[in-house]
Amino acid sequence: MEEKFKILFLPDDKEFEVTAGISVLQAAGMAGVELDGPCGGNGTCGKCRVRVMKEQGGAQWALACKTIIDRDMTVEIPQLEVSVHRKNELTLADLNVQIDSGISAKVVTVSKPSLENQHPDAKRFLIAMDNDTLELGTEVLRALPKTVRDKEAKGMVTAILCGNKVLAVEAGDTSQRLYGIAVDIGTTSVVVALMDLRSGETVAIASAGNPQTTFGADVIARIEHVMNNEDGLEVLNRRVIKTINRLTEKLAQDIGITPMEIYQMTMVGNTTMSHLFMKIDPTYLAVSPFIPVVSERVWFEARELNIEIAPQAPVYVTPSVAGYVGGDTIGVIMSTDIYQKKGIYLAIDIGTNGELVLSRDGEMASCSTAAGPAFEGAQIKFGMRAADGAIEKVTILENGEVEIGVIGNQPPKGICGSGLMDVVSEMARAGVIDSTGRLCTAENPGDLPPALQKRLGSNEEYGPYFILSFAEDNMGEEVVLTQKDVRELQLAKAALAAGIQVLLQHFNLSAQDLDEVLLAGAFGSYINKYSALGIGLLPAIDANKINSVGNAAGTGARMELISQEIRQEAEKVARRVEHLELSTRADFQEYFINCLSF
Amino acid sequence: MEEKFKILFLPDDKEFEVTAGISVLQAAGMAGVELDGPCGGNGTCGKCRVRVMKEQGGAQWALACKTIIDRDMTVEIPQLEVSVHRKNELTLADLNVQIDSGISAKVVTVSKPSLENQHPDAKRFLIAMDNDTLELGTEVLRALPKTVRDKEAKGMVTAILCGNKVLAVEAGDTSQRLYGIAVDIGTTSVVVALMDLRSGETVAIASAGNPQTTFGADVIARIEHVMNNEDGLEVLNRRVIKTINRLTEKLAQDIGITPMEIYQMTMVGNTTMSHLFMKIDPTYLAVSPFIPVVSERVWFEARELNIEIAPQAPVYVTPSVAGYVGGDTIGVIMSTDIYQKKGIYLAIDIGTNGELVLSRDGEMASCSTAAGPAFEGAQIKFGMRAADGAIEKVTILENGEVEIGVIGNQPPKGICGSGLMDVVSEMARAGVIDSTGRLCTAENPGDLPPALQKRLGSNEEYGPYFILSFAEDNMGEEVVLTQKDVRELQLAKAALAAGIQVLLQHFNLSAQDLDEVLLAGAFGSYINKYSALGIGLLPAIDANKINSVGNAAGTGARMELISQEIRQEAEKVARRVEHLELSTRADFQEYFINCLSF
């Protein structure tokens, strides 16, 4: 018989019995405990760090994927970091949208029943509403008897309406409390914006990592998880829904409302994220011919998706263009206004995939490239999110000295996407890598200054590498960039640059014709555009034409939330964008090879 | 500290820990184990009989309500008796209805995706359907990818449609399998009819006791349970839903389909049953001014109610007239056709309540009387359902001999509703009770023949009683009718008779004006109309005008299931019926007192 051990996960207090020999990360997966492991248990990403309790008291940090269960254990999972920003901390520009969310409140007084007025509650309510064609859903009928009999409200009832449907009824006048959430599900993080549906203001925003990451860093890994596990779709769906609920609850708490006062939700995300959100099998997105199940906009009720807001609140899933050009791209198009502006615009949303849209006077084409998670610091030896301790800026001085900027001014622990692009750009400029991307080695340092030569190293684990930060210099850990890291970035930037070329070619344009390049996504906000130009990620154009537009996909979701018109436009736009499938194009292959060099 | 014991319920295999001193019935309630206890734990109804396992092996029958837990116990609950009748055993007349259920099937072939045809599954499906305005719900979207890729079906898909909505998609041509269920939720039993929506035929019918009975025999007791228990509504709802699911599964199994091939459901029941079915608080039905939450027809999706048929199948809850004149009465009106027939008709649905409708050329009025469960054998000392061993017929011969008819020709165990009415009618005729309902006693036997005198008895437990069946005569138990039993029936019949008087008076009619009296309900089928006339339950009219119409409420549900027109008519009828609230009428009190005598 196989040996069994008990493992207790904190702070969930979940106990699970496992067969000896599996890792803590695997056990967490089986127990349904959320734990990040984007590298797939290779011990390379360091994101599955947990605290293993010692028998004699105290605890010790360890990688869950490398900790094999050989006894009864208690393991503490560091909690999902949720960051919340209130309105006064947000620097969001007001949305330039006519407010018309489709949700409204009406306050009426429902008559008291008596032996002379034996009308049912529903009937007396409809009489008060002066409209007996209104639809009352399950939840409204269930809430009605208590609501109309509330002692303090004395028959006063607030009805929340969406078209001809009553979404909710509340005792008293609560018409001042009318909220919605706009949700942006990224492959690596989830952002929820709480909005006042009356004023259109964004009241607060909360974000956290996407806990699906445990099952792989990119969309392909997630889809593979669904293909290979009977409960894969269920688990991935549950995780993201749980995160949305947790963020929403946090936001509601923060401003003193209940999640039940949230009556509408809009959602943007890439096609895989949308499918997983809807619990729809994304399998066929991953295999040629890359077919989504649905790309038209979909309306759900919140309860169908287990979203814990008003149960009958409509949930709007933004339409998408094609397999890899999803609702997030539609969000970018809507918020940048390029679908109706005169001029030639290139919008780039860089995440784990790179989605590109080129618009010429509102005529649009799109494509998607497997930019890869390199841009987000994943699959990079010392890659990490843009958090405290991440190297985000790198300059190599004339004399070979390396200056680094670290988030939070702390000892460096790793490197994030923008730092990565900086360092590769600087290494190319300084000759630490040649135009083919090959790293100089200590044995073959070319004519590098000594200050750079001493940073070259090689060992069995890393292969050839470049030391970004010496442990002794910065009171931190040694942080290096390996040859393999450079290759990851090189492949990603070549794919993106080739995609841009295909789009330009499609319109018979050259890079110089572009009026503006819009960089969307969190990464777009942090990127040093000179580095991006330096490594050839962006075509050689005037740097002044390159602008970051922040979380444009999320902004699109916020606009959709407060405007029926924007939603209707988004549906038209989704049908209008021409999609170029790169995987079958010979010209893409050609451009890709040409774009590989630095 | 209180002593705790473990109780294991079979066959559910549910273990539950309880504090010493509570009864097995109470423990079953807490553990969520279904167990009948209509008398509320008084030990009088005998319906909570369970098998208590002995430590030394073997088992022993005991009343759960009278068995106090004083040790760890294993208790076996006799299983819900489900009876199923297949089409060839059913004696139902074909429904005289144009078949137009609103549900249809369409078979199409969905194109294969390719790099040249990258349309999403949903789009290709809608193209095949030649209608891109169709609504695809969650479940359809979730089922679509597998369905269109089914190896054997080669793209052939059957779409189940309800108006503009696609309810389900299935691989291959399944258009021949289109089913629905018509459900009649009675206070004491639940009947599910499985129908072929194409032919309109009733394929099979299954019935079982309503397991809510554990919480009280009549609707008032059920409502009180909801009022007094936080999870009362939840529990009563869950029980009836579970029973419907179990019956439906049984029916589906029986004819070789899956419950997922059932695409529509209609439901009739009294107002309390409808509220509990919808999980809507029925509290205000029980207190003056007797207000339902909703009486209009309601449409749900099956999944909203946890009904385990096609998740998005529409579920139609029949409208009701007033607090105590529910969808079951509408069902009776629809199936007897009295809403549109010329003539004067009185329909009586006798269950735990008595619902009355009088129609004069389609002009209708209704009222409801607390007929009480006496007519169903509850709250009667030896009362039982019309099952094997129940005395259903009683005749007192000239010489004082008593002849009884027992269901299943078995030794008598108790008396059912029809037997009860027979015996009281016969006792009144033979002078065993006087016109005020008082029972002769052994001390004061009047001029009864000796054969009757020897049947008179009295003891501390029963009070005065009449022996229906001697233990030695029939190899069974002694079955008696007590003075209290006579009173129960007397009150019930007076209420019903007085209700009839009020209705007649309302139309300025006398009993002689009636063209027909229609007796609905299972009880109506078994009743001896001469006995009903004999005790004054029915007004003195020609017995030929009194006809049983069987389970007319259930027939109404079946008609609604296969006809949109009948559903529309039902909604109009529900608004047209005038409701007379008896509780406030002085004339009702007057009639009631006059109708008490035999």
Side-chain angles (χ1 to χ4, degrees), chain A residues 194-243:
Chain A
L194 181 69
M195 299 183 77
D196 183 327
L197 296 180
R198 292 171 313 136
S199 66
E201 279 177 349
T202 304
V203 182
I205 288 183
S207 59
N210 184 334
Q212 295 173 339
T213 313
T214 314
F215 302 103
D218 54 29
V219 296
I220 296 297
R222 310 260 172 102
I223 295 175
E224 278 172 356
H225 182 80
V226 171
M227 293 168 77
N228 298 331
N229 294 275
E230 211 182 317
D231 67 346
L233 178 58
E234 177 75 34
V235 167
L236 292 184
N237 170 262
R238 200 169 48 217
R239 287 207 169 191
V240 73
I241 297 292
K242 204 169 149 189
T243 302

Coordinates of all heavy atoms in Angstrom, one line a residue, chain A residues 194-243:
Chain A
L194 N -14.6 49.6 -9.9 CA -15.9 49.8 -9.4 C -16.4 51.2 -9.9 O -15.7 52.2 -9.6 CB -15.9 49.7 -7.9 CG -17.3 49.9 -7.2 CD1 -18.2 48.8 -7.5 CD2 -17.1 50.1 -5.7
M195 N -17.5 51.3 -10.5 CA -18.0 52.6 -11.0 C -19.4 52.9 -10.5 O -20.2 52.1 -10.3 CB -18.0 52.5 -12.6 CG -16.6 52.2 -13.2 SD -16.7 52.2 -15.0 CE -16.7 54.0 -15.3
D196 N -19.6 54.2 -10.4 CA -20.9 54.8 -10.1 C -21.6 54.9 -11.4 O -21.3 55.7 -12.3 CB -20.7 56.1 -9.4 CG -22.0 56.7 -8.9 OD1 -23.0 56.5 -9.6 OD2 -22.0 57.4 -7.9
L197 N -22.7 54.2 -11.5 CA -23.4 54.1 -12.8 C -24.2 55.4 -13.1 O -24.6 55.7 -14.2 CB -24.4 52.9 -12.9 CG -23.7 51.5 -12.9 CD1 -24.8 50.4 -12.9 CD2 -22.7 51.4 -14.0
R198 N -24.4 56.2 -12.0 CA -25.1 57.5 -12.2 C -24.2 58.6 -12.8 O -24.4 59.2 -13.7 CB -25.8 57.9 -10.9 CG -26.9 57.0 -10.5 CD -27.4 57.4 -9.1 NE -26.2 57.6 -8.3 CZ -26.0 58.5 -7.4 NH1 -26.9 59.4 -7.2 NH2 -24.8 58.6 -6.7
S199 N -23.0 58.7 -12.1 CA -22.1 59.8 -12.5 C -21.1 59.3 -13.5 O -20.5 60.1 -14.2 CB -21.3 60.2 -11.2 OG -20.5 59.2 -10.8
G200 N -20.9 58.0 -13.7 CA -19.9 57.5 -14.6 C -18.5 57.5 -14.0 O -17.5 57.2 -14.7
E201 N -18.4 57.9 -12.7 CA -17.1 58.0 -12.1 C -16.5 56.6 -11.7 O -17.3 55.7 -11.3 CB -17.1 58.8 -10.9 CG -17.1 60.3 -11.2 CD -17.2 61.2 -10.0 OE1 -17.5 60.6 -8.9 OE2 -17.0 62.4 -10.1
T202 N -15.2 56.5 -11.8 CA -14.6 55.3 -11.3 C -14.3 55.5 -9.9 O -13.5 56.4 -9.5 CB -13.3 55.0 -12.1 OG1 -13.6 55.0 -13.5 CG2 -12.6 53.7 -11.7
V203 N -14.9 54.7 -9.0 CA -14.8 55.0 -7.6 C -13.6 54.4 -7.0 O -12.9 55.0 -6.1 CB -16.1 54.4 -6.9 CG1 -16.0 54.7 -5.4 CG2 -17.3 55.0 -7.5
A204 N -13.2 53.2 -7.5 CA -12.0 52.6 -6.9 C -11.6 51.4 -7.9 O -12.5 50.9 -8.6 CB -12.2 52.0 -5.5
I205 N -10.4 51.0 -7.8 CA -9.9 49.9 -8.7 C -9.1 49.0 -7.8 O -8.3 49.4 -7.0 CB -9.0 50.5 -9.8 CG1 -9.9 51.2 -10.9 CG2 -8.2 49.4 -10.5 CD1 -9.1 51.8 -12.1
A206 N -9.3 47.7 -8.0 CA -8.5 46.7 -7.3 C -7.9 45.7 -8.3 O -8.5 45.4 -9.3 CB -9.4 45.9 -6.3
S207 N -6.8 45.2 -8.0 CA -6.1 44.3 -8.9 C -5.4 43.2 -8.1 O -5.1 43.3 -6.9 CB -5.2 44.9 -9.8 OG -4.2 45.6 -9.1
A208 N -5.2 42.1 -8.8 CA -4.5 40.9 -8.2 C -4.0 40.1 -9.3 O -4.4 40.2 -10.4 CB -5.4 40.1 -7.3
G209 N -3.1 39.2 -9.0 CA -2.6 38.2 -10.0 C -3.7 37.3 -10.4 O -4.7 37.0 -9.7
N210 N -3.6 36.8 -11.7 CA -4.6 35.8 -12.1 C -4.2 34.5 -11.6 O -3.1 34.0 -12.0 CB -4.6 35.8 -13.7 CG -5.7 34.9 -14.2 OD1 -6.1 33.9 -13.5 ND2 -6.2 35.2 -15.4
P211 N -5.0 33.9 -10.7 CA -4.6 32.7 -10.1 C -4.5 31.4 -11.0 O -4.1 30.4 -10.6 CB -5.6 32.5 -8.9 CG -6.8 33.2 -9.4 CD -6.3 34.3 -10.3
Q212 N -5.0 31.6 -12.2 CA -4.9 30.5 -13.2 C -3.4 30.3 -13.5 O -3.0 29.2 -14.1 CB -5.6 30.9 -14.5 CG -7.1 31.0 -14.4 CD -7.7 31.5 -15.6 OE1 -7.0 32.2 -16.5 NE2 -9.0 31.3 -15.8
T213 N -2.5 31.3 -13.1 CA -1.1 31.2 -13.5 C -0.5 29.9 -12.9 O 0.5 29.4 -13.5 CB -0.4 32.4 -12.9 OG1 -1.2 33.5 -13.2 CG2 1.0 32.5 -13.4
T214 N -1.0 29.3 -11.8 CA -0.6 28.1 -11.3 C -0.5 27.0 -12.4 O 0.3 26.1 -12.4 CB -1.5 27.6 -10.2 OG1 -1.8 28.6 -9.4 CG2 -0.9 26.4 -9.5
F215 N -1.4 27.1 -13.4 CA -1.5 26.1 -14.4 C -0.8 26.5 -15.7 O -1.1 26.0 -16.8 CB -3.0 25.7 -14.7 CG -3.6 25.3 -13.4 CD1 -4.5 26.1 -12.7 CD2 -3.3 24.0 -12.9 CE1 -5.1 25.6 -11.5 CE2 -3.9 23.6 -11.7 CZ -4.8 24.4 -11.0
G216 N 0.1 27.5 -15.6 CA 0.8 27.9 -16.8 C 0.8 29.4 -17.0 O -0.2 30.0 -16.7
A217 N 1.9 29.9 -17.6 CA 2.0 31.3 -17.7 C 1.2 31.9 -18.8 O 0.7 33.0 -18.7 CB 3.5 31.6 -17.9
D218 N 1.1 31.1 -19.9 CA 0.4 31.7 -21.1 C -0.8 31.0 -21.4 O -1.2 30.0 -20.8 CB 1.4 31.7 -22.3 CG 2.0 30.3 -22.5 OD1 1.3 29.4 -22.3 OD2 3.1 30.2 -23.0
V219 N -1.5 31.5 -22.4 CA -2.9 31.0 -22.7 C -2.8 29.5 -23.2 O -3.6 28.7 -23.0 CB -3.6 31.8 -23.7 CG1 -3.9 33.2 -23.1 CG2 -2.9 32.0 -25.1
I220 N -1.7 29.2 -24.0 CA -1.5 27.9 -24.5 C -1.4 26.9 -23.3 O -2.1 25.8 -23.3 CB -0.3 27.8 -25.4 CG1 -0.5 28.7 -26.7 CG2 -0.1 26.3 -25.9 CD1 -1.7 28.3 -27.5
A221 N -0.6 27.2 -22.3 CA -0.5 26.3 -21.2 C -1.8 26.1 -20.5 O -2.2 25.0 -20.0 CB 0.5 26.9 -20.2
R222 N -2.6 27.2 -20.4 CA -3.9 27.1 -19.8 C -4.9 26.1 -20.6 O -5.6 25.3 -20.0 CB -4.6 28.4 -19.6 CG -3.7 29.5 -19.0 CD -3.9 29.8 -17.6 NE -2.9 30.7 -17.2 CZ -3.0 32.0 -17.0 NH1 -4.1 32.6 -17.1 NH2 -1.9 32.7 -16.6
I223 N -4.8 26.3 -21.9 CA -5.7 25.5 -22.7 C -5.3 24.1 -22.6 O -6.1 23.1 -22.5 CB -5.7 26.0 -24.2 CG1 -6.3 27.4 -24.3 CG2 -6.4 25.0 -25.1 CD1 -6.2 28.1 -25.6
E224 N -3.9 23.8 -22.6 CA -3.5 22.5 -22.4 C -3.9 21.9 -21.1 O -4.3 20.7 -21.1 CB -1.9 22.4 -22.5 CG -1.5 22.4 -24.0 CD 0.0 22.6 -24.1 OE1 0.7 22.8 -23.1 OE2 0.5 22.6 -25.3
H225 N -4.0 22.7 -20.1 CA -4.5 22.2 -18.8 C -5.9 21.7 -18.9 O -6.3 20.7 -18.4 CB -4.3 23.3 -17.7 CG -4.8 22.8 -16.4 ND1 -4.0 22.0 -15.6 CD2 -6.0 22.9 -15.7 CE1 -4.7 21.7 -14.5 NE2 -5.9 22.2 -14.6
V226 N -6.7 22.5 -19.7 CA -8.1 22.1 -19.9 C -8.2 20.8 -20.7 O -9.0 19.9 -20.4 CB -8.9 23.2 -20.6 CG1 -10.2 22.8 -21.1 CG2 -9.0 24.5 -19.8
M227 N -7.3 20.7 -21.7 CA -7.3 19.5 -22.6 C -6.9 18.3 -21.8 O -7.4 17.2 -22.1 CB -6.4 19.7 -23.8 CG -6.9 20.8 -24.7 SD -5.7 21.3 -26.0 CE -5.8 19.9 -27.1
N228 N -6.0 18.4 -20.8 CA -5.4 17.2 -20.2 C -6.1 16.9 -18.9 O -5.7 15.9 -18.2 CB -3.9 17.5 -20.0 CG -3.2 17.6 -21.3 OD1 -3.7 17.1 -22.3 ND2 -2.1 18.4 -21.3
N229 N -7.0 17.7 -18.4 CA -7.6 17.4 -17.1 C -9.1 17.5 -17.2 O -9.7 18.5 -17.7 CB -7.1 18.5 -16.0 CG -5.6 18.3 -15.8 OD1 -5.2 17.5 -15.0 ND2 -4.8 19.1 -16.5
E230 N -9.8 16.5 -16.7 CA -11.2 16.5 -16.8 C -11.9 17.7 -16.1 O -12.8 18.2 -16.6 CB -11.7 15.2 -16.2 CG -13.0 14.7 -16.8 CD -13.5 13.4 -16.2 OE1 -12.7 12.5 -15.8 OE2 -14.7 13.3 -15.9
D231 N -11.3 18.1 -15.0 CA -11.9 19.2 -14.3 C -11.1 20.5 -14.6 O -11.3 21.5 -13.9 CB -11.9 18.9 -12.8 CG -10.5 18.9 -12.2 OD1 -9.6 18.8 -13.0 OD2 -10.4 19.0 -11.0
G232 N -10.3 20.5 -15.6 CA -9.5 21.6 -15.9 C -10.3 22.9 -16.2 O -10.0 24.0 -15.6
L233 N -11.3 22.8 -17.0 CA -12.1 24.0 -17.3 C -12.8 24.5 -16.1 O -12.7 25.7 -15.8 CB -13.1 23.6 -18.4 CG -14.1 24.7 -18.8 CD1 -13.3 25.9 -19.4 CD2 -15.1 24.2 -19.9
E234 N -13.3 23.6 -15.3 CA -14.0 23.9 -14.1 C -13.1 24.7 -13.1 O -13.4 25.7 -12.5 CB -14.4 22.6 -13.4 CG -15.1 22.7 -12.1 CD -16.5 23.2 -12.1 OE1 -17.2 22.9 -13.1 OE2 -16.9 23.9 -11.2
V235 N -11.8 24.1 -13.0 CA -10.9 24.7 -12.0 C -10.4 26.1 -12.4 O -10.4 27.1 -11.7 CB -9.7 23.8 -11.8 CG1 -8.6 24.5 -11.1 CG2 -10.1 22.5 -11.0
L236 N -10.1 26.2 -13.7 CA -9.6 27.5 -14.2 C -10.7 28.6 -14.1 O -10.5 29.7 -13.7 CB -9.1 27.4 -15.6 CG -7.8 26.6 -15.8 CD1 -7.3 26.6 -17.3 CD2 -6.7 27.1 -14.9
N237 N -11.9 28.1 -14.5 CA -13.0 29.0 -14.4 C -13.3 29.5 -12.9 O -13.4 30.7 -12.6 CB -14.3 28.3 -14.9 CG -15.6 29.1 -14.6 OD1 -16.3 28.8 -13.7 ND2 -15.8 30.1 -15.4
R238 N -13.3 28.5 -12.0 CA -13.6 28.8 -10.6 C -12.5 29.8 -10.1 O -12.9 30.7 -9.3 CB -13.6 27.5 -9.8 CG -14.3 27.6 -8.5 CD -14.5 26.3 -7.9 NE -13.3 25.5 -7.9 CZ -13.3 24.2 -8.1 NH1 -14.4 23.5 -8.3 NH2 -12.1 23.6 -8.0
R239 N -11.3 29.6 -10.5 CA -10.2 30.5 -9.9 C -10.4 31.9 -10.3 O -10.2 32.8 -9.5 CB -8.9 30.0 -10.4 CG -8.5 28.7 -9.7 CD -7.0 28.6 -9.6 NE -6.7 27.5 -8.7 CZ -5.5 27.2 -8.3 NH1 -4.5 28.0 -8.6 NH2 -5.3 26.2 -7.5
V240 N -10.7 32.1 -11.6 CA -10.8 33.5 -12.0 C -12.1 34.2 -11.4 O -12.1 35.3 -11.0 CB -10.7 33.7 -13.5 CG1 -11.9 33.2 -14.2 CG2 -10.4 35.1 -13.9
I241 N -13.1 33.4 -11.4 CA -14.4 33.9 -10.8 C -14.2 34.3 -9.3 O -14.6 35.3 -8.9 CB -15.5 32.9 -10.9 CG1 -15.8 32.5 -12.4 CG2 -16.8 33.3 -10.2 CD1 -16.4 33.6 -13.2
K242 N -13.5 33.4 -8.6 CA -13.2 33.6 -7.2 C -12.4 34.9 -7.0 O -12.7 35.7 -6.1 CB -12.4 32.4 -6.6 CG -12.6 32.2 -5.2 CD -12.0 30.9 -4.7 CE -11.4 30.9 -3.4 NZ -10.7 29.7 -3.0
T243 N -11.5 35.1 -7.9 CA -10.6 36.3 -7.8 C -11.5 37.6 -8.0 O -11.4 38.6 -7.3 CB -9.5 36.3 -8.8 OG1 -8.7 35.1 -8.5 CG2 -8.6 37.5 -8.7

